[in-house]
Amino acid sequence: MTRQTKIVIAALVVITVMFAGSAAQRPGGGSLEAPGALVEWFGAKFAKTPDADPADLSAPCRSGDTFVVRDGSCVLRVAARQGRRTVRLRADSDVGVQAPAPGQDTLVRSDAKAGDTVSVTVGDAATDIDLICAGERTCVLTIAKRG
Protein backbone atom coordinates (compact mmCIF):
# COMPACT_ATOMS: atom_id res chain seq x y z
CA MET A 1 0.00 0.00 0.00
CA THR A 2 1.39 3.41 -0.95
CA ARG A 3 1.79 6.28 1.51
CA GLN A 4 -0.91 8.26 -0.28
CA THR A 5 -3.40 5.40 0.02
CA LYS A 6 -2.70 5.11 3.76
CA ILE A 7 -3.34 8.83 4.22
CA VAL A 8 -6.65 8.63 2.35
CA ILE A 9 -7.78 5.62 4.41
CA ALA A 10 -6.77 7.37 7.66
CA ALA A 11 -8.72 10.48 6.66
CA LEU A 12 -11.81 8.40 5.87
CA VAL A 13 -11.55 6.64 9.25
CA VAL A 14 -11.30 10.00 11.06
CA ILE A 15 -14.32 11.36 9.17
CA THR A 16 -16.31 8.21 9.94
CA VAL A 17 -15.47 8.42 13.66
CA MET A 18 -16.37 12.13 13.74
CA PHE A 19 -19.65 11.44 11.96
CA ALA A 20 -20.51 8.63 14.37
CA GLY A 21 -19.68 10.87 17.34
CA SER A 22 -21.80 13.67 15.93
CA ALA A 23 -24.74 11.33 15.34
CA ALA A 24 -24.46 9.92 18.86
CA GLN A 25 -24.64 13.42 20.38
CA ARG A 26 -27.64 14.48 18.30
CA PRO A 27 -30.20 16.54 20.26
CA GLY A 28 -33.33 14.56 21.02
CA GLY A 29 -31.62 11.21 21.28
CA GLY A 30 -31.74 9.13 18.13
CA SER A 31 -34.11 11.41 16.24
CA LEU A 32 -33.28 11.72 12.56
CA GLU A 33 -35.14 15.03 12.35
CA ALA A 34 -32.21 17.03 13.70
CA PRO A 35 -28.79 16.38 12.17
CA GLY A 36 -25.70 16.33 14.35
CA ALA A 37 -23.27 19.23 14.59
CA LEU A 38 -20.77 17.74 12.13
CA VAL A 39 -23.48 17.12 9.54
CA GLU A 40 -24.76 20.69 9.96
CA TRP A 41 -21.22 22.05 9.62
CA PHE A 42 -20.56 20.07 6.43
CA GLY A 43 -23.92 21.19 5.03
CA ALA A 44 -23.27 24.85 5.80
CA LYS A 45 -19.73 24.67 4.46
CA PHE A 46 -20.24 22.74 1.24
CA ALA A 47 -23.93 22.54 0.33
CA LYS A 48 -25.44 25.23 -1.83
CA THR A 49 -29.18 25.64 -1.62
CA PRO A 50 -30.66 26.22 -5.05
CA ASP A 51 -32.32 29.50 -5.90
CA ALA A 52 -36.09 29.54 -5.53
CA ASP A 53 -37.96 29.31 -8.81
CA PRO A 54 -39.34 32.79 -9.61
CA ALA A 55 -42.64 31.07 -10.50
CA ASP A 56 -42.93 30.09 -6.79
CA LEU A 57 -42.83 33.75 -5.68
CA SER A 58 -46.03 35.75 -5.42
CA ALA A 59 -46.86 39.11 -3.88
CA PRO A 60 -49.38 41.90 -4.43
CA CYS A 61 -46.42 44.25 -5.01
CA ARG A 62 -44.78 42.06 -7.67
CA SER A 63 -44.40 43.30 -11.22
CA GLY A 64 -42.30 40.97 -13.36
CA ASP A 65 -39.00 40.36 -11.55
CA THR A 66 -39.43 43.36 -9.25
CA PHE A 67 -41.26 44.02 -6.01
CA VAL A 68 -42.37 47.64 -5.55
CA VAL A 69 -43.06 48.34 -1.87
CA ARG A 70 -44.86 51.62 -1.17
CA ASP A 71 -45.27 53.24 2.25
CA GLY A 72 -44.78 50.24 4.51
CA SER A 73 -44.54 46.59 3.71
CA CYS A 74 -45.47 43.84 1.31
CA VAL A 75 -45.68 40.09 1.93
CA LEU A 76 -43.79 37.91 -0.52
CA ARG A 77 -45.15 34.34 -0.44
CA VAL A 78 -42.88 31.46 -1.42
CA ALA A 79 -44.90 28.40 -2.49
CA ALA A 80 -44.35 25.07 -0.75
CA ARG A 81 -41.90 22.79 -2.49
CA GLN A 82 -39.70 19.94 -1.30
CA GLY A 83 -36.22 20.99 -0.18
CA ARG A 84 -34.63 24.19 0.99
CA ARG A 85 -34.30 27.07 -1.46
CA THR A 86 -32.85 30.54 -1.35
CA VAL A 87 -34.71 33.69 -2.35
CA ARG A 88 -32.22 36.36 -3.44
CA LEU A 89 -33.37 39.97 -3.70
CA ARG A 90 -31.32 43.00 -4.73
CA ALA A 91 -32.41 46.22 -2.99
CA ASP A 92 -32.39 49.65 -4.66
CA SER A 93 -32.57 51.46 -1.30
CA ASP A 94 -32.44 50.72 2.41
CA VAL A 95 -34.97 47.99 3.14
CA GLY A 96 -35.75 45.36 5.77
CA VAL A 97 -36.51 41.71 5.07
CA GLN A 98 -38.03 39.43 7.71
CA ALA A 99 -38.86 35.72 7.52
CA PRO A 100 -39.07 32.66 9.74
CA ALA A 101 -35.94 30.53 9.99
CA PRO A 102 -36.50 27.23 8.13
CA GLY A 103 -38.07 24.64 10.42
CA GLN A 104 -38.16 26.99 13.43
CA ASP A 105 -40.54 29.44 15.08
CA THR A 106 -37.90 32.19 15.12
CA LEU A 107 -38.20 35.27 12.92
CA VAL A 108 -34.99 36.48 11.34
CA ARG A 109 -34.63 40.06 10.13
CA SER A 110 -32.01 41.49 7.83
CA ASP A 111 -31.57 45.15 6.97
CA ALA A 112 -30.04 45.86 3.58
CA LYS A 113 -28.48 49.00 2.17
CA ALA A 114 -29.00 50.17 -1.40
CA GLY A 115 -27.22 47.82 -3.79
CA ASP A 116 -27.09 44.90 -1.33
CA THR A 117 -28.38 41.46 -2.16
CA VAL A 118 -30.41 39.83 0.61
CA SER A 119 -30.60 36.04 0.72
CA VAL A 120 -33.45 34.30 2.55
CA THR A 121 -33.40 30.52 2.91
CA VAL A 122 -36.82 28.87 3.07
CA GLY A 123 -37.79 25.28 3.86
CA ASP A 124 -40.38 22.89 2.43
CA ALA A 125 -43.45 24.72 3.71
CA ALA A 126 -44.99 27.80 2.13
CA THR A 127 -43.24 30.81 3.65
CA ASP A 128 -44.13 34.49 3.97
CA ILE A 129 -41.27 36.99 3.67
CA ASP A 130 -41.98 40.54 4.85
CA LEU A 131 -40.46 43.22 2.64
CA ILE A 132 -40.31 46.35 4.79
CA CYS A 133 -39.86 49.86 3.41
CA ALA A 134 -39.85 52.30 6.33
CA GLY A 135 -41.32 55.76 6.01
CA GLU A 136 -43.35 57.31 3.25
CA ARG A 137 -41.30 56.19 0.31
CA THR A 138 -41.07 53.51 -2.36
CA CYS A 139 -38.55 50.67 -2.32
CA VAL A 140 -37.82 48.35 -5.21
CA LEU A 141 -36.32 44.89 -4.86
CA THR A 142 -35.37 42.74 -7.84
CA ILE A 143 -35.03 38.97 -8.03
CA ALA A 144 -31.29 38.28 -8.12
CA LYS A 145 -29.45 35.21 -9.35
CA ARG A 146 -26.52 33.52 -7.63
CA GLY A 147 -23.36 35.09 -8.81
Side-chain angles (χ1 to χ4, degrees):
M1 208 179 320
T2 67
R3 183 171 189 260
Q4 189 175 13
T5 304
K6 289 178 184 177
I7 292 172
V8 169
I9 290 172
L12 290 173
V13 168
V14 169
I15 290 171
T16 302
V17 169
M18 290 175 65
F19 178 79
S22 174
Q25 294 188 20
R26 179 180 298 132
S31 169
L32 294 177
E33 292 179 17
L38 181 66
V39 175
E40 287 182 357
W41 180 82
F42 273 119
K45 191 77 174 165
F46 300 108
K48 300 286 188 210
T49 57
D51 286 342
D53 184 344
D56 290 342
L57 308 178
S58 62
C61 60
R62 183 174 181 180
S63 176
D65 282 348
T66 62
F67 300 89
V68 181
V69 183
R70 290 187 175 86
D71 303 329
S73 66
C74 178
V75 177
L76 163 59
R77 180 132 180 116
V78 184
R81 188 173 299 273
Q82 187 172 0
R84 289 189 178 192
R85 298 145 299 148
T86 300
V87 176
R88 297 177 202 290
L89 301 170
R90 184 155 184 85
D92 79 332
S93 60
D94 296 355
V95 66
V97 177
Q98 179 174 286
Q104 299 180 15
D105 293 331
T106 305
L107 282 177
V108 178
R109 181 183 167 113
S110 180
D111 293 314
K113 302 274 185 214
D116 288 351
T117 298
V118 179
S119 297
V120 179
T121 301
V122 297
D124 298 337
T127 304
D128 289 339
I129 300 173
D130 297 320
L131 309 176
I132 305 161
C133 183
E136 295 181 17
R137 59 191 182 99
T138 299
C139 301
V140 179
L141 295 102
T142 305
I143 297 173
K145 298 289 181 196
R146 186 184 307 268

